[in-house]
Amino acid sequence: MAGRRLTLYGKPDCHLCHEAKAMLARLQREVPFMLDEVDILSDEALHRRYAFTIPVIVIDGQLEIEAPIRESEVRAALR
């Protein structure tokens, strides 16, 4: 579905976050969606909320997928 919006919550020194971003880039070539990246270190409330669960992907402001993130799970959520 065009017009989907995904938000990736992470932080710069997180290797799992970098892997999630690369996976989303691959998926984006197959399934159109807008991707926003949010550094949880930029906001204390976000840091408290996601510090131990990043990377976290939020789809259309509702569905949250936390680490460990599987490509098949994100692909199914985008259908």
Side-chain angles (χ1 to χ4, degrees):
M1 166 192 285
R4 308 290 304 261
R5 181 169 295 275
L6 276 67
T7 304
L8 174 62
Y9 290 93
K11 62 182 183 177
D13 60 345
C14 169
H15 77 278
L16 292 175
C17 300
H18 295 299
E19 290 174 10
K21 183 178 176 181
M23 180 264 304
L24 289 173
R26 285 191 307 274
L27 277 176
Q28 204 168 29
R29 290 191 289 268
E30 300 171 30
V31 181
F33 59 84
M34 299 295 298
L35 177 62
D36 298 314
E37 292 181 65
V38 177
D39 179 353
I40 65 167
L41 299 178
S42 67
D43 181 282
E44 184 63 32
L46 288 175
H47 186 258
R48 280 193 306 272
R49 181 173 180 179
Y50 294 122
F52 301 106
T53 59
I54 59 170
V56 174
I57 297 172
V58 176
I59 300 175
D60 294 331
Q62 298 174 5
L63 177 65
E64 288 191 7
I65 301 173
E66 297 178 351
I69 295 173
R70 291 175 300 283
E71 188 169 334
S72 60
E73 184 179 11
V74 178
R75 186 185 306 277
L78 288 171
R79 291 188 183 150

